[in-house]
Amino acid sequence: MTKEGSPAVPFGGELLSTSVKKVLLDRIMHGHYKPGERIVELQVAKELGTSQSPVREALRDLAAIGIVTFHSRRGARVRLPTSKELADISLVRSELDALAATIASPLMDESILAELRTTFEEMQAHQAERNFVAMTQADARFHRIIATTSANEAIQHVFDQLEPFARTFITLTLPRVDIGSIIAEHQTILEALERRDAVSAAVAARTHQRNVSALFENHFQAELLRDTGGGGAA
């Protein structure tokens, strides 16, 4: 029996382990699997109607980006990251996103800008609804559009490695943190891109991620420990 509210399995059109990975990520972000909780391969396989092999592969992928710890004998558990880990990732993202904005700025056309505007509006709407999972998904889409527009495969690869880690765990602390100013910073990035102002876009993107880094450093650990009663597996 699946946990109540678990998302439907989007199998089809991609590797089975990739689909399982997406489901597990969504479940972690929705709080169905909490920090320190064990994810049982056999149970997940039964819930999703697969063998254990794609579940194990998905868990190994999640372990590679630090979202779970995976041991062949003890199974997998959702990690409780440190605030420094999350802050460090956002600090790296600050330079990555600045570079992406610099390269992408002159390549922006009206269709891409329209997509960014729509995504920013969705972000604001989800924030107002306090739907933090959907809000972080829109946030990730906003930054991914810029990374993709840069047409730099190295930027896109590093972005895809770093983005799920922070996005997964930030949803656990957002309900108690005022992030209005963080969300509003996307407007500054967007306006610079609309002007094709590469310098201003880079500054805005860098500043935004540095502020996210400070959010993790100052708020994440205390809030998450409060929710989990100080528990969690390292």
Side-chain angles (χ1 to χ4, degrees):
M1 183 177 180
T2 60
K3 292 194 175 189
E4 185 179 356
S6 296
V9 183
F11 293 162
E14 61 188 359
L15 289 174
L16 189 57
S17 62
T18 301
S19 293
V20 173
K21 177 181 172 182
K22 288 180 179 179
V23 171
L24 294 176
L25 269 173
D26 283 347
R27 288 184 177 185
I28 292 170
M29 284 191 294
H30 281 85
H32 297 297
Y33 300 128
K34 299 183 183 301
E37 183 176 348
R38 186 182 175 197
I39 301 177
V40 181
E41 279 183 31
L42 181 59
Q43 180 180 340
V44 173
K46 287 181 177 179
E47 290 172 359
L48 304 184
T50 73
S51 67
Q52 286 182 248
S53 179
V55 177
R56 185 175 302 113
E57 186 175 346
L59 288 170
R60 284 174 176 160
D61 285 348
L62 293 176
I65 58 176
I67 292 175
V68 303
T69 55
F70 183 83
H71 301 280
S72 57
R73 293 183 179 179
R74 290 184 287 163
R77 291 183 184 275
V78 180
R79 281 192 70 235
L80 174 61
T82 67
S83 55
K84 186 178 186 305
E85 282 182 281
L86 293 161
D88 285 351
I89 284 177
S90 291
L91 191 59
V92 173
R93 276 281 307 275
S94 72
E95 296 304 320
L96 181 73
D97 285 21
L99 179 58
T102 299
I103 299 172
S105 185
L107 303 176
M108 288 284 160
D109 60 30
E110 284 306 316
S111 64
I112 297 172
L113 289 169
E115 188 175 1
L116 283 170
R117 292 184 197 107
T118 298
T119 304
F120 176 53
E121 290 169 0
E122 290 175 358
M123 209 184 308
Q124 291 177 303
H126 292 314
Q127 180 199 2
E129 297 164 354
R130 299 184 65 76
N131 184 345
F132 297 116
V133 172
M135 192 206 72
T136 56
Q137 288 171 337
D139 175 271
R141 189 162 60 252
F142 182 94
H143 294 289
R144 182 173 282 107
I145 291 168
I146 299 171
T148 301
T149 302
S150 76
N152 185 300
E153 292 185 4
I155 287 175
Q156 295 175 56
H157 175 72
V158 177
F159 179 89
D160 286 341
Q161 290 297 307
L162 296 179
E163 183 274 324
F165 188 83
R167 178 166 58 96
T168 297
F169 291 110
I170 199 171
T171 57
L172 301 176
T173 189
L174 283 178
R176 294 197 187 100
V177 178
D178 181 8
I179 55 164
S181 61
I182 294 286
I183 297 302
E185 289 169 358
H186 293 82
Q187 180 72 44
T188 307
I189 300 171
L190 178 56
E191 289 174 353
L193 293 172
E194 288 173 331
R195 300 192 305 270
R196 277 72 168 184
D197 183 343
V199 174
S200 295
V203 170
R206 181 182 294 110
T207 299
H208 169 65
Q209 286 298 336
R210 287 186 176 236
N211 288 338
V212 173
S213 178
L215 172 70
F216 281 130
E217 190 73 50
N218 297 330
H219 296 286
F220 178 81
Q221 200 73 4
E223 295 294 349
L224 191 52
L225 286 172
R226 182 186 304 175
D227 287 342
T228 60

